Amino acid sequence: MQTVQTINELKHIIGVNKEKTIGFIPTMGYLHEGHQALLNKAREENDFIVASVFVNPAQFGPNEDLDRYPRNIEHDTKLATEAGVDVLFVPTPEEMYPFESGITIQVGELSTKLCGESRPGHFDGVLKVITKLFHLVQPTKAYFGQKDAQQLAIIETFVNAYNFPVQIVRVPTVRETDGLAKSSRNVFLSEQERAQAVHLFKALQLATETWKKSKNVDEAIAKGKAHIVENTSGKIDYFAVLTYPTLQPVSEQADQLLFATAVFFEKARLIDNILVETKEV
Ligand code: AMP
């Protein structure tokens, strides 16, 4: 595996390999088995694999955890090598954003709910980096986790609306054995919080089961919220049910419903979700 830090080096490598199918996995590093699932799927489906590790300042708000976001490039290099990545792109912020163009990408309505509501500008920053990375890597397929369901919905819509020549591949959420979704931010949990954190998933399961029985969204949300309040010290940011990937209020026509929650613990804000196929219920 080659690790490259500059855009010029990356462009050169992509040029040399442009006849191959390229699988791309953008990440913020501190890689775990969730990321590994994306890398493995990409390895199965493409000739050449590019992954990136970049803690993107553009997607963090002023009071968020940019400075203390966990980093371990030695570990990431080892994991990416073992997963069969060909090129690991690890740029600095200066390399990615050498000048301020004054031109921005604004997500609009899809970013007014769920995480977008409490993280203004977050998804604009995600699309800023994704646009640059897609132009540089020119992937055939790019891999994203269902764990970040709103991000995935926005990227799918963006790529579709603006004709990016890439196929977006959804990868299911990888969980710890007790059900907690794997996340780089789980390291910020205290021992007590770690034990409680599984209740995000349990609350989502309770909400989906409730909805399957009664088809009553308000009842499902109320039960899910109550479960989190009763079983954790965390503060609920949101607990919501929306159509997917359109993120609209629940309607009869929707094929997929997203049950999603975000909870603030002392040093980490955790998110999780379950996607329900309505036709299978
Ligand atoms: P991040 O490094 O957190 O920006 O995540 C990079 C990619 O890995 C995103 O597409 C995430 O959705 C995906 N990802 C993170 N955690 C998981 C997980 N537990 N299961 C599946 N995909 C994940």
Side-chain angles (χ1 to χ4, degrees), residues 25-29 31-35 37-38 59 69 143-148 151 171-175 181-184:
I25 309 93
T27 82
M28 298 206 298
L31 301 182
H32 50 67
E33 284 152 38
H35 300 108
L38 275 63
Q59 69 189 65
Y69 194 85
Y143 296 78
F144 292 89
Q146 192 67 55
K147 152 97 183 354
D148 298 279
Q151 166 174 283
V171 180
T173 302
V174 177
R175 301 180 177 281
K182 291 197 182 256
S183 165
S184 306

Side-chain angles (χ1 to χ4, degrees), residues 56 58-60 97 105 107 121-130:
N56 173 31
Q59 69 189 65
F60 286 79
Y97 305 125
I105 301 171
V107 176
H122 169 68
F123 291 111
D124 300 349
V126 169
L127 293 193
K128 177 174 179 168
V129 77
I130 286 298

Side-chain angles (χ1 to χ4, degrees), residues 6-280:
T6 67
I7 285 176
N8 275 341
E9 281 172 283
L10 179 65
K11 275 184 174 168
H12 175 74
I13 295 171
I14 297 299
V16 172
N17 291 282
K18 65 171 183 272
E19 303 304 328
K20 298 180 180 163
T21 56
I22 298 179
F24 178 46
I25 309 93
T27 82
M28 298 206 298
Y30 213 69
L31 301 182
H32 50 67
E33 284 152 38
H35 300 108
Q36 217 163 8
L38 275 63
L39 299 176
N40 292 343
K41 190 155 175 58
R43 185 67 278 176
E44 284 166 20
E45 298 182 349
N46 301 274
D47 301 330
F48 195 76
I49 308 301
V50 180
S52 60
V53 170
F54 179 57
V55 183
N56 173 31
Q59 69 189 65
F60 286 79
N63 297 318
E64 293 186 343
D65 55 356
L66 173 63
D67 292 338
R68 60 187 183 89
Y69 194 85
R71 292 162 167 89
N72 186 342
I73 196 62
E74 288 77 24
H75 165 80
D76 293 348
T77 304
K78 185 166 176 288
L79 191 143
T81 306
E82 285 167 5
V85 171
D86 296 295
V87 176
L88 190 63
F89 181 47
V90 190
T92 60
E94 295 72 30
E95 183 69 14
M96 284 302 277
Y97 305 125
F99 64 96
E100 184 45 74
S101 68
I103 300 170
T104 56
I105 301 171
Q106 285 180 337
V107 176
E109 210 230 326
L110 282 177
S111 67
T112 58
K113 35 205 105 184
L114 308 177
C115 293
E117 203 178 343
S118 50
R119 303 188 70 187
H122 169 68
F123 291 111
D124 300 349
V126 169
L127 293 193
K128 177 174 179 168
V129 77
I130 286 298
T131 300
K132 290 192 66 121
L133 290 169
F134 280 2
H135 285 142
L136 293 170
V137 177
Q138 298 173 42
T140 319
K141 294 184 180 184
Y143 296 78
F144 292 89
Q146 192 67 55
K147 152 97 183 354
D148 298 279
Q150 186 174 17
Q151 166 174 283
L152 179 52
I154 288 172
I155 290 172
E156 282 180 355
T157 308
F158 182 52
V159 159
N160 189 18
Y162 286 89
N163 306 97
F164 279 74
V166 58
Q167 185 186 331
I168 303 300
V169 181
R170 296 181 182 182
V171 180
T173 302
V174 177
R175 301 180 177 281
E176 303 286 353
T177 42
D178 66 354
L180 172 65
K182 291 197 182 256
S183 165
S184 306
R185 288 189 169 97
N186 290 348
V187 292
F188 293 137
L189 298 172
S190 68
E191 204 177 316
Q192 193 190 18
E193 288 175 333
R194 169 64 189 85
Q196 297 171 355
V198 64
H199 289 289
L200 272 72
F201 184 48
K202 292 204 157 122
L204 289 163
Q205 286 177 309
L206 180 63
T208 56
E209 291 312 316
T210 303
W211 180 81
K212 282 176 189 172
K213 281 192 203 119
S214 70
K215 299 289 184 305
N216 183 327
V217 170
D218 292 337
E219 186 194 357
I221 293 175
K223 284 213 173 142
K225 277 187 170 173
H227 186 89
I228 292 175
V229 170
E230 282 158 23
N231 291 285
T232 81
S233 56
K235 186 174 151 296
I236 297 173
D237 181 8
Y238 63 77
F239 196 106
V241 186
L242 296 172
T243 61
Y244 195 79
T246 39
L247 307 184
Q248 295 301 312
V250 175
S251 71
E252 300 277 314
Q253 293 86 5
D255 289 340
Q256 291 188 312
L257 289 185
L258 178 73
F259 290 68
T261 189
V263 176
F264 288 105
F265 287 93
E266 196 74 30
K267 294 202 178 86
R269 176 179 170 281
L270 300 189
I271 59 172
D272 199 355
N273 68 81
I274 295 179
L275 207 51
V276 173
E277 304 286 337
T278 57
K279 302 287 181 280
E280 288 172 13

